[in-house]
């Protein structure tokens, strides 16, 4: 990430999250400094979406969506982080600074995209002039309209067509080579065309910029498909063929079907299934899925029905597991032997093909089915093995409903007590000191611990940190390092608000904790905040002192303390006396 933090803070200071959201959904003023609306991120009749001006933070009581202005752009406009910063900066009339190398690289890219477009135009032109290419497309049943929409083309036979057309100068040749369209000769001088006598499939990124090509041989030969190499424009493991067209065709992508081939996407599209995308000859990656889930919450994987298809599906399941949450629906469709979506959709119509989705396996069914095949569930040993391997996967899921559902199902299938499975699941939980487990204390009428209260108040009203008169003592309490870090950041930026504060933890393991703190209900009136905060800190102070004193005393019983430790101990004991006298 090359965007300097100072810029992000400036940007968040300049953009008001209330104004920003109000341009997308009308906000109503309701209580105190909060605005309300119907949530744009889930379907609802009542207004549970709240936006706080002082916190510069939004939160939905219905679906839990939350964040600052950048998060709103990410969620609402389906952007990634740099894109969201870019878009907000445009709104604010600011320019995103980047480090020198990034500027240089980015400056060159528009020229390279443009060159790609010129190449696609050349190939399209050649296709229209070449009977062999037209006949091939016809024989595969591809209509003229689809050819145009997907800009299918033809790279002529011979070694120098594109090089001659577009590589007039040495600079142009270098650029063509940089985007993988021509290749430098090993011996001697000059370049030759990478794609020769092939049907060309231009590949767009999600914004419609041309980034690469796939080229199919017309007759027999190897390789059947030749793809652009990895270039500054093109990263195979990130891109999805057809996403741009699908998104252009459909205002909302309610579901997306993920297939294997270029021809599958095109044939489905021509038959009215305009929401198919394909990976580019690679297995599904986290990058692919992250991108897709910005557009849709229902994903149907489409695989061959054979052993290879099952293996590929299992691999995809493993990639998707850690990303699953309660809002996503994932299914696995296995096709009849010897068919692919292209051949199948030509035989049946759109309706029949879409009916297959009804019979697709849900993620959980496919999960248990596959694991079940690997163990004999009629023996105790087999069931134990089955449960152990299932638990290994279930552990990776976020602790949401979907995890509970799988756990329940596992309990039935393995005939193991649910409570036992739950304790197994917890046993080697990540006990990271800064990831705090939130229980429903408030619901049970129990007050949160001093530490949690201090953390929550600080995140919600950062200016409270400026009330602290002395540094906090060291402590081993979980969550304590987070408190120190918060105080440090706020004391360096005394006017920081919640939304901006959260940026410090974007993408880090503490992020969900900070988000929960930001929306924790404490029911303390505005006027009492300062006293409650200082009270909580005082308690913590006492706890840490006691713990520190106990630790050093215990150590002293075993070995000699260092000079430093002795001093520390006497300082803490004196401090404790002083505190006791004050109470
Ligand atoms: P398939 O071999 O299943 O071909 O490759 P297909 O999509 O059915 O193609 P047609 O119908 O014969 O034209 C599936 C995908 O795997 C990648 C391509 O992305 C292709 O669409 N692939 C395949 C390659 O990258 N290189 C190859 O040589 C073959
Ligand atoms: Mn095919």
């Amino acid at each position: 990430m090359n965007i300097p933090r100072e810029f992000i803070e400036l940007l968040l200071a300049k953009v008001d999250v209330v104004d920003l959201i109000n341009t997308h959904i009308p906000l109503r003023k309701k209580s105190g400094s909060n605005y309300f609306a119907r949530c744009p991120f889930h379907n609802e009749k009542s207004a549970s979406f709240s936006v706080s001006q002082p916190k510069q933070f939004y939160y939905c009581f219905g679906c839990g969506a939350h964040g600052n202005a950048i998060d709103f752009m990410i969620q609402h406009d389906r952007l990634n982080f740099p894109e969201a910063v870019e878009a907000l900066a445009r709104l604010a009339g600011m320019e995103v600074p980047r480090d020198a190398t990034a500027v240089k690289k980015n400056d060159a890219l528009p020229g390279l995209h443009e060159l790609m477009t010129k190449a696609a135009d050349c190939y399209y032109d050649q296709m229209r002039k070449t009977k062999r290419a037209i006949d091939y497309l016809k024989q595969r049943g591809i209509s003229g309209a689809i050819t145009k929409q997907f800009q299918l083309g033809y790279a002529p036979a011979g070694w120098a067509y594109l090089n001659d057309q577009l590589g007039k100068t040495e600079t142009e040749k270098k650029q063509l080579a940089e985007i993988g369209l021509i290749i430098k000769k090993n011996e001697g001088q000059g370049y030759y065309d990478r794609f020769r006598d092939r049907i060309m499939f231009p590949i767009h990124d999600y914004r419609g910029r041309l980034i690469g090509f796939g080229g199919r041989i017309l007759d027999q030969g190897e390789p059947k498909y030749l793809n652009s190499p990895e270039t500054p424009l093109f990263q195979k493991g990130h891109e999805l063929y057809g996403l741009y067209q699908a998104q252009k065709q459909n205002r909302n992508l309610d579901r997306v079907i993920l297939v294997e081939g270029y021809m599958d996407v095109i044939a489905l599209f021509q038959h009215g299934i305009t929401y198919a995308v394909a990976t580019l000859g690679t297995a599904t990656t986290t990058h692919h899925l992250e991108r897709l889930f910005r557009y849709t919450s229902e994903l149907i994987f489409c695989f061959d029905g054979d052993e290879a298809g099952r293996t590929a599906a299992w691999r995809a399941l493993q990639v998707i597991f850690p990303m699953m949450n309660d809002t996503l629906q994932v299914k696995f469709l296995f096709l009849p032997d010897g068919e692919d979506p292209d051949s199948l959709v030509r035989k049946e119509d759109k309706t029949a093909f879409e009916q297959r989705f009804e019979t697709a396996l849900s993620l959980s069914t496919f999960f248990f089915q596959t694991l079940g095949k690997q163990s004999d569930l009629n023996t105790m040993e087999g069931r134990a093995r089955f449960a152990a391997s299932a638990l290994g996967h279930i552990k990776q899921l976020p602790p949401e409903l979907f995890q509970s559902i799988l756990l329940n199902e596992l309990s039935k299938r393995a005939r193991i007590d649910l409570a036992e499975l739950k304790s197994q699941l917890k046993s080697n939980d990540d006990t990271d000191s800064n990831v705090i487990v939130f229980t429903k204390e408030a619901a049970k009428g129990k007050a949160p611990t001093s530490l949690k209260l201090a953390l929550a108040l600080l995140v919600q009203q950062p200016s409270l940190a400026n009330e602290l008169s002395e540094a906090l003592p060291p402590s081993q309490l979980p969550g304590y390092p987070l408190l120190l870090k918060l105080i440090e950041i706020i004391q360096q930026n005394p006017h920081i608000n919640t939304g901006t504060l959260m940026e410090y933890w974007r993408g880090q393991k503490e992020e969900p904790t900070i988000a929960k703190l930001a929306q924790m209900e404490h029911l303390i009136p505005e006027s009492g905040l300062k006293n409650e905060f200082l009270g909580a800190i005082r308690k913590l102070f006492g706890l840490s002192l006691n713990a520190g004193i106990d630790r050093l005393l215990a150590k002293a019983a075993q070995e000699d303390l260092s000079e430093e430790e002795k001093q520390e101990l006497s300082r803490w004991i004196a401090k404790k006396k002083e505190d006791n006298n004050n109470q």
Side-chain angles (χ1 to χ4, degrees), residues 553-568:
L553 286 178
K555 195 171 174 193
Q558 305 282 328
E559 55 186 297
D560 283 344
L561 294 182
S562 72
E563 212 34 55
E564 245 169 54
E565 285 170 325
K566 280 184 201 155
Q567 279 179 15
E568 202 158 34

Side-chain angles (χ1 to χ4, degrees), residues 140 216 224-225 261-264 339-343:
R140 296 217 52 174
R216 192 197 196 284
K224 180 157 77 167
Y225 282 92
Y262 298 102
M263 286 300 295
D264 299 323
E339 302 281 3
D340 63 11
D342 170 30
S343 64

Side-chain angles (χ1 to χ4, degrees), residues 114-128 151-154 161-162 165-166 202 210 213:
E114 206 177 301
L115 198 55
M116 274 286 181
T117 309
K118 281 189 191 154
D121 291 344
C122 288
Y123 293 143
Y124 185 72
D125 195 44
Q126 286 300 307
M127 185 274 299
R128 301 186 22 130
Q151 282 180 275
L152 304 187
Y154 173 67
Y161 165 74
L162 200 71
Q165 289 285 314
L166 300 178
L210 250 175
F213 287 95

Side-chain angles (χ1 to χ4, degrees), residues 14-30:
K14 190 147 181 206
V15 178
D16 182 2
V17 74
V18 175
D19 292 343
L20 173 74
I21 295 179
N22 206 17
T23 60
H24 292 89
I25 43 169
L27 293 174
R28 278 187 296 117
K29 180 113 183 160
K30 202 161 165 212

Side-chain angles (χ1 to χ4, degrees), residues 15-171:
V15 178
D16 182 2
V17 74
V18 175
D19 292 343
L20 173 74
I21 295 179
N22 206 17
T23 60
H24 292 89
I25 43 169
L27 293 174
R28 278 187 296 117
K29 180 113 183 160
K30 202 161 165 212
S31 67
S33 53
N34 281 345
Y35 293 80
F36 282 83
R38 292 232 300 265
C39 180
F41 304 119
H42 79 287
N43 266 329
E44 63 170 1
K45 294 217 166 59
S46 59
S48 4
F49 184 75
S50 77
V51 189
S52 156
Q53 189 130 42
K55 288 185 193 168
Q56 289 293 307
F57 184 76
Y58 63 89
Y59 175 63
C60 174
F61 293 94
C63 70
H66 61 262
N68 60 21
I70 298 177
D71 294 298
F72 187 80
M73 295 306 283
I74 290 174
Q75 291 177 25
H76 190 266
D77 289 5
R78 297 158 172 154
L79 305 175
N80 63 27
F81 179 74
E83 289 160 8
V85 170
E86 194 83 50
L88 271 187
R90 231 176 294 130
L91 286 177
M94 293 163 81
E95 182 130 1
V96 183
R98 290 166 196 275
D99 64 34
T101 54
V103 170
K104 196 161 155 272
K105 202 171 146 202
N106 281 348
D107 273 357
L109 294 186
L112 296 181
H113 285 300
E114 206 177 301
L115 198 55
M116 274 286 181
T117 309
K118 281 189 191 154
D121 291 344
C122 288
Y123 293 143
Y124 185 72
D125 195 44
Q126 286 300 307
M127 185 274 299
R128 301 186 22 130
K129 287 184 188 153
T130 311
K131 180 160 186 305
R132 202 167 111 75
I134 298 172
D135 286 348
Y136 180 82
L137 293 174
K138 264 200 196 141
Q139 162 248 318
R140 296 217 52 174
I142 302 171
S143 72
I146 289 289
T147 303
K148 204 163 174 189
Q149 197 160 2
F150 283 83
Q151 282 180 275
L152 304 187
Y154 173 67
W159 296 87
Y161 165 74
L162 200 71
N163 194 13
D164 286 347
Q165 289 285 314
L166 300 178
K168 302 238 160 52
T169 67
E170 194 55 31
T171 319

Side-chain angles (χ1 to χ4, degrees), residues 397-576:
L397 290 166
E400 297 183 19
L401 275 178
F402 184 63
Q403 189 185 49
S404 314
I405 291 170
L406 285 197
L407 219 50
N408 251 313
E409 183 64 28
L410 177 60
S411 152
K412 280 189 212 132
R413 292 188 187 231
R415 286 182 250 156
I416 296 176
D417 189 42
L418 184 59
E420 173 59 26
L421 288 178
K422 278 187 181 154
S423 76
Q424 290 277 333
L425 194 67
K426 286 231 171 61
S427 62
N428 27 358
D429 245 4
D430 183 1
T431 46
D432 193 293
S433 68
N434 273 345
V435 181
I436 301 173
V437 183
F438 282 80
T439 51
K440 299 249 178 310
E441 288 141 339
K444 282 188 258 151
K446 242 171 78 184
T449 62
S450 314
L451 180 60
K452 215 177 281 178
L453 183 63
L455 283 167
L457 292 177
L458 265 188
V459 171
Q460 299 186 19
Q461 183 144 326
S463 61
L464 287 171
N466 305 319
E467 307 287 345
L468 293 171
S469 52
E470 57 186 323
L472 266 65
S475 163
Q476 314 278 325
L477 283 174
Y480 200 80
L482 192 59
L483 181 70
L484 296 182
K485 173 98 189 156
L486 270 167
I487 293 173
E488 182 194 325
I489 295 172
I490 300 167
Q491 289 182 338
Q492 282 165 8
N493 312 266
H495 301 294
I496 200 166
N497 57 43
T498 307
T500 309
L501 194 56
M502 298 192 64
E503 277 307 317
Y504 283 79
W505 285 275
R506 180 176 295 280
Q508 298 188 25
K509 60 182 186 312
E510 293 90 351
E511 186 178 341
T513 303
I514 301 279
K516 288 200 182 95
L517 290 167
Q519 71 223 10
M520 193 176 115
E521 292 259 21
H522 51 65
L523 305 176
I524 300 165
E526 186 78 24
S527 57
L529 283 179
K530 185 176 148 188
N531 277 338
E532 285 286 343
F533 174 69
L534 291 176
I537 291 287
R538 216 175 307 117
K539 258 211 194 116
L540 275 177
F541 215 111
L543 281 176
S544 322
L545 272 182
N546 284 341
I549 291 168
D550 288 350
R551 187 167 48 82
L552 284 183
L553 286 178
K555 195 171 174 193
Q558 305 282 328
E559 55 186 297
D560 283 344
L561 294 182
S562 72
E563 212 34 55
E564 245 169 54
E565 285 170 325
K566 280 184 201 155
Q567 279 179 15
E568 202 158 34
L569 184 57
S570 57
R571 198 154 31 92
W572 289 351
I573 291 176
K575 178 93 191 120
K576 194 176 162 184

